[in-house]
Amino acid sequence: MFRKVLVANRGEIAVRVMRACEELGVRTVAVYSEADKHAGHVRYADEAYNVGPARAADSYLDQAAILEAARKADADAIHPGYGFLAENASFAERVEESEVTWIGPPATAMERLGEKTKARRVMSAADVPVVPGTSEPIEGPADVEAFAEEHGYPIAIKAEGGGGGRGMKIVESEDEIEDQLAAAKREGEAYFDNDSVYLERFLEAPRHVEVQIIADHHGNVRHLGERDCSLQRRHQKVIEEGPSPALSDDLRERIGAAARKGIADTDYTNAGTVEFLVEGSASSESPRADGEAVDDEFYFLEVNTRIQVEHPVTEEITGIDIVKEQLRVAAGKEIGFDQSEIAIDGHAMEFRINAENAANDFAPATGTLATYDPAGGIGVRVDDAVRQGDDIGGDYDSMIAKLIVHAGDRQECLARAERALREFDIEGFHTVIPFHRLMVTDERFTSGTHTTNYLDEELDPERIDRAVERWGPTESAAADDAADVAEREFTVEVNGKRFEVNLEERGAPAIPTGGSADGGGMDRPDVATADDEGSAVSTAEGERISAEMQGTILSVEVAPGDEVSAGDVVLVLEAMKMENDVVADSGGTVAEVLVDEGESVDMGDPLVVIE
């Protein structure tokens, strides 16, 4: 087994990996950006190294900085978690060429399966059914038009290196092609350092079912059952569960066998997930208006060549620690169980606890965890990397914790989840807990007949608004409780390695943190703030459009002198890995553009002035 593992990630997944290492007697190394110097994964690790500024491209995606941190720490292995560099074959290859072990599939397998067009060809060769689409990256709008002539609309444009809905855009008609193609390529470049895209026929109302696999260096491939991830918003998974409530025993067996065969034919090792879309009676409450039975069909979607966000669902129903299996496989050990020994015990669900306001189109939220009191009790697990008093910024993903619930069957699991969500107390900003509380009593979800388009196309948004109004955040007394305590935190770095000193003084005045690298700050009187209705503020100079949230400018769509109309997009702001169009509230002439592409902005920062 390894002596010391560097976890090339942040947040709850970094802590999850470190906990597995600790139980195996392995020391851990964290990496962190300037924005994360006080983050939970840094606190948990045995040692930590700064790898750059807040922007992910300059820190968590900086391959050279990660490898240099591993060298300084004398780590003998790197675990990438999920996201960031987890599915980057070039990074895996660089690690493999070094003296450090890569805890993941080999770079060659990642290249074959991580890029979606190659994965489609591999799975087709293994007789796994695939969704009709292109087998090579496309060049431009003409390719989309030609595909539409053959297959019709809607069409899915997907980033080759994408996953989790990022880098995926849906084209409903010809006049959307150029904008959606540009957006898909931009997201692919921003999130996966790969702007290549391909096309698929878009299945409008399928189930999303994925199979967890683990493979070792001795030719053994096991699947650990399936998860159902059909409850999605904008192609982002919201609630995951296992086993799927929609699969028959026959379909379950066929999908599991297809996943094993597809993986076995690729020389794949370590953990991974084979994702499928299911159409037919399993994917709809009423698949045919005439009531005639429809045969279930499943199609290969993609392989995630890493650990998944929702892996705890499988751990709870199988009793297998997937992260420990990753470590053992990477260390050259053989899988210690046969396929016949894997048994599914009960039912499990995972709820992503995101810092988002569900009543405001799930807009990202930031603030201080004035109250953080997670749920507990039998069958309840919480994976997190935060504690009360932490600041939640907008530099990274909006997920702050995962609530995983396990019970004897799906009905008991829903009841237990309802209880746990009621207990989970977070104050200081909005989270999606009210939305989850709505879902565990929603008839369509509780019956298990929902599909991937249920949230976006069928659920009444007013029900979400009422849930947030009923169960949303309240004023917290936590800030008052801490008002008489001044905490001074000093961070010292020597050759990039982090050392921390904390001093606490009671009865002293609070210390302002404006301009500090940890994301704290005071109000800036010279900056316009967004009003309650939107991002536009009227000034003597005209309409000043300000940032409604902290984020990064992905693109600027206007220049001084341009004429714009109400509703026109003036720039695209990325916040917590979501693209947000910033639009003009009224028409006029662009007088000033106050930001540049790639620039980070805070809530209230002025962006564009329109006269």
Side-chain angles (χ1 to χ4, degrees), residues 410 414 438-450:
R410 192 171 189 266
L414 284 164
L438 171 65
M439 283 295 98
V440 294
T441 59
D442 177 78
E443 182 178 357
R444 187 73 181 274
F445 180 70
T446 57
S447 67
T449 58
H450 58 287

Side-chain angles (χ1 to χ4, degrees), residues 106-431:
T108 52
M110 292 179 69
E111 186 176 18
R112 283 195 298 271
L113 295 174
E115 292 190 354
K116 313 309 179 187
T117 52
K118 293 180 181 179
R120 287 168 56 85
R121 293 195 294 271
V122 168
M123 290 295 163
S124 293
D127 295 325
V128 177
V130 299
V131 179
T134 59
S135 58
E136 298 289 344
I138 65 167
E139 296 297 327
D143 293 329
V144 185
E145 294 173 7
F147 188 84
E149 289 180 5
E150 180 178 357
H151 298 282
Y153 293 99
I155 298 168
I157 304 178
K158 294 186 172 184
E160 271 209 293
R166 297 189 179 97
M168 174 177 170
K169 299 297 176 183
I170 307 304
V171 179
E172 301 282 355
S173 61
E174 183 176 353
D175 59 3
E176 296 180 358
I177 290 176
E178 289 194 11
D179 287 345
Q180 297 292 57
L181 178 59
K185 292 174 73 68
R186 185 170 60 243
E187 285 190 13
E189 177 68 28
Y191 300 137
F192 310 106
D193 196 27
N194 181 354
D195 69 352
S196 293
V197 296
Y198 68 102
L199 306 177
E200 280 184 352
R201 178 169 67 85
F202 182 62
L203 305 181
E204 296 192 67
R207 299 289 295 214
H208 184 127
V209 176
E210 61 188 29
V211 178
Q212 176 70 57
I213 61 95
I214 187 80
D216 64 24
H217 296 277
H218 306 277
N220 299 303
V221 180
R222 307 284 185 260
H223 82 75
L224 309 183
E226 87 281 354
R227 298 182 291 258
D228 194 306
C229 307
S230 300
L231 197 72
Q232 300 181 5
R233 179 182 174 274
R234 296 181 181 174
H235 315 294
Q236 288 283 326
K237 300 168 186 175
V238 178
I239 300 175
E240 303 98 346
E241 61 182 307
S244 171
L247 301 190
S248 64
D249 290 341
D250 174 67
L251 187 56
R252 176 171 287 114
E253 184 175 344
R254 287 194 288 140
I255 287 181
R260 285 188 73 191
K261 186 175 189 305
I263 289 298
D265 287 356
T266 63
D267 297 323
Y268 189 98
T269 58
N270 218 271
T273 304
V274 187
E275 301 196 350
F276 298 92
L277 296 178
V278 179
E279 281 193 313
S281 58
S283 66
S284 177
E285 187 175 17
S286 302
R288 287 279 291 272
D290 57 11
E292 183 178 340
V294 178
D295 290 336
D296 294 324
E297 296 291 344
F298 67 93
Y299 301 97
F300 167 75
L301 178 62
E302 63 186 21
V303 176
N304 286 289
T305 56
R306 53 170 168 79
I307 196 76
Q308 288 275 85
V309 177
E310 58 271 21
H311 75 274
V313 168
T314 299
E315 293 181 328
E316 293 302 310
I317 60 176
T318 63
I320 295 171
D321 187 322
I322 299 172
V323 177
K324 284 184 180 178
E325 290 301 320
Q326 286 190 286
L327 293 163
R328 293 186 181 111
V329 166
K333 298 183 182 296
E334 189 172 359
I335 295 173
F337 49 86
D338 294 327
Q339 187 66 49
S340 60
E341 296 178 283
I342 300 169
I344 303 301
D345 175 24
H347 199 90
M349 292 184 177
E350 177 180 284
F351 301 85
R352 302 187 184 197
I353 309 301
N354 295 344
E356 297 171 359
N357 183 355
N360 185 25
D361 200 28
F362 289 80
T366 60
T368 300
L369 279 169
T371 299
Y372 183 71
D373 188 9
I378 187 170
V380 175
R381 164 181 169 181
V382 175
D383 283 14
D384 61 17
V386 297
R387 65 186 179 190
Q388 189 162 298
D390 280 358
D391 290 329
I392 306 300
D395 294 299
Y396 309 109
D397 194 278
S398 62
M399 187 172 65
I400 57 176
K402 299 186 305 196
L403 171 68
I404 306 99
V405 179
H406 179 229
D409 57 33
R410 192 171 189 266
Q411 184 175 359
E412 183 184 23
C413 191
L414 284 164
R416 182 164 289 164
E418 186 176 3
R419 184 266 298 172
L421 288 163
R422 188 167 57 248
E423 289 182 5
F424 209 132
D425 188 12
I426 296 179
E427 293 188 357
F429 47 81
H430 281 278
T431 73

